Amino acid sequence: MADVNLTINGMAISVPAGTSILDAAAAAGVFIPTLCHDRENPGFGACRLCVVEVKGARNLPASCVTEAVGGMVVETGSPAVVEARRTILELLLANHPADCLTCEKNGDCRLQDYAYRYDVREPGFKGEKHDYPVDDTNPYISRDMNKCILCGKCVRTCAAVEGRAVLDFAYRGFNTKVAPAMDVPLAESDCVYCARCVAVCPVGALAYKNLAGRGRAWEIEKKPVTCTFCEAGCTFDLNIKTGRVVGVTAAAPGAGRPLCLKGRLGLELLYTDRPAQPQLKKDGQFVEVSWAEALGLDAVIEKIKALEK
Ligand code: FES
């Protein structure tokens, strides 16, 4: 494919035709903030945080959905661009809980990062706020739609998994919300908890329940591990805190390949600390028992003894 020559922040660069301004900037080492852009599912263009200034253009185009064209002169940090990004962040924060202190995504939240980067301390706009109940109905994923910024990454990621598309946008206008069909809790939907949606969520709307309270983002080291439960060989991340694995999470997903719950929980069982004693459910409660009892050996021995009599 032929190359196009353009200028980004005064740097002359050359990229293959069809490259977005965002990717052209990245190739030149220029950072542009994004919220809705997903390399695996590009071309959404919803959040507008990636706007840039293009000489001669009437408005500020979103760089993730605008093709780099020969002769373009692009500025990624002009006063107009910074002002636009600050306004977008203020609008997002106007309807977002300010509970960073206790949010599980503290330290791993793009909204928080960009608010810091662009010095947005206050929401800037006052108005109605959502007060959705947190969907805690399943054992694996916590959904707090009050924190959702409608970037749609979870929707597109779920749709990319063959036979899924559990999530979509529901309702309209201010009430637009990401939800399973008929807005039922996740536990009542077709969700299989592969958690690819959690892996791509840039804010605290989707979080792993098993990692709640187990460590801050900056305390956790991630190490990739290949699942061996089937031939797909998916990649997961071991989450390690002070030398101990505290959980297993879905790595940033590859297109079209699900990361199944069996793999994630199986690896968790392999790598995290397990109870020292086996447990059996008795009278509705799990109680610690001996290995012989857990494996049914006691019952077998009793039966053999009975046969000998
Ligand atoms: Fe480009 Fe959201 S990242 S519009």
Side-chain angles (χ1 to χ4, degrees):
M1 201 179 282
D3 282 357
V4 292
N5 302 312
L6 69 158
T7 305
I8 298 183
N9 294 352
M11 279 183 286
I13 66 160
S14 186
V15 291
T19 305
S20 68
I21 296 177
L22 180 72
D23 287 342
V30 175
F31 171 79
I32 296 177
T34 63
L35 281 172
C36 73
H37 177 68
D38 182 354
R39 210 170 281 177
E40 301 287 349
N41 295 296
F44 195 54
C47 74
R48 317 307 285 183
L49 197 71
C50 66
V51 289
V52 292
E53 195 165 344
V54 175
K55 196 172 174 190
R58 279 186 304 166
N59 56 9
L60 301 177
S63 61
C64 68
V65 287
T66 307
E67 228 175 76
V69 174
M72 247 182 188
V73 177
V74 179
E75 285 295 330
T76 66
S78 67
V81 166
V82 171
E83 188 52 35
R85 289 182 189 154
R86 283 177 54 87
T87 305
I88 290 165
L89 292 169
E90 284 175 353
L91 283 164
L92 286 173
L93 290 168
N95 182 25
H96 194 92
D99 66 343
C100 294
L101 289 180
T102 51
C103 181
E104 282 299 328
K105 283 283 189 80
N106 188 3
D108 187 23
C109 170
R110 291 225 192 145
L111 188 57
Q112 187 187 49
D113 291 347
Y114 296 150
Y116 179 78
R117 187 181 187 109
Y118 291 100
D119 194 27
V120 178
R121 292 160 190 262
E122 298 290 332
F125 300 92
K126 294 216 181 328
E128 208 180 331
K129 282 197 168 200
H130 290 302
D131 187 17
Y132 298 123
V134 176
D135 179 2
D136 232 1
T137 53
N138 69 85
Y140 309 108
I141 297 172
S142 170
R143 290 175 71 240
D144 185 349
M145 288 301 100
N146 300 301
K147 294 180 181 171
C148 177
I149 56 168
L150 299 174
C151 69
K153 287 173 88 170
C154 57
V155 173
R156 287 173 285 146
T157 299
C158 190
V161 182
E162 205 175 310
R164 286 293 136 205
V166 171
L167 299 171
D168 207 339
F169 293 102
Y171 309 105
R172 287 182 179 200
F174 178 68
N175 292 324
T176 305
K177 179 185 177 190
V178 171
M182 313 311 289
D183 197 6
V184 295
L186 218 47
E188 293 171 31
S189 73
D190 289 337
C191 177
V192 293
Y193 310 114
C194 70
R196 288 166 59 115
C197 56
V198 184
V200 296
C201 179
V203 293
L206 300 172
Y208 291 101
K209 286 181 81 171
N210 62 331
L211 284 175
R214 306 202 76 176
R216 288 311 203 176
W218 55 87
E219 299 172 315
I220 304 277
E221 181 197 353
K222 295 207 178 208
K223 274 201 177 152
V225 62
T226 303
C227 177
T228 53
F229 282 97
C230 79
E231 72 285 354
C234 299
T235 302
F236 289 84
D237 282 331
L238 298 181
N239 289 238
I240 302 165
K241 183 183 170 190
T242 55
R244 290 174 61 188
V245 178
V246 293
V248 177
T249 53
R257 196 164 68 183
L259 299 165
C260 70
L261 184 63
K262 180 182 165 191
R264 189 155 57 81
L265 293 190
L267 291 171
E268 215 155 74
L269 199 63
L270 272 179
Y271 286 99
T272 54
D273 290 339
R274 282 166 274 173
Q277 281 296 115
Q279 299 184 348
L280 269 184
K281 208 171 202 179
K282 293 181 177 177
D283 301 326
Q285 297 286 330
F286 279 107
V287 290
E288 288 193 348
V289 295
S290 68
W291 281 105
E293 187 179 351
L295 296 171
L297 296 180
D298 283 348
V300 173
I301 291 167
E302 286 308 313
K303 281 191 178 161
I304 290 173
K305 278 183 184 166
L307 289 174
E308 285 172 347
K309 281 179 189 167

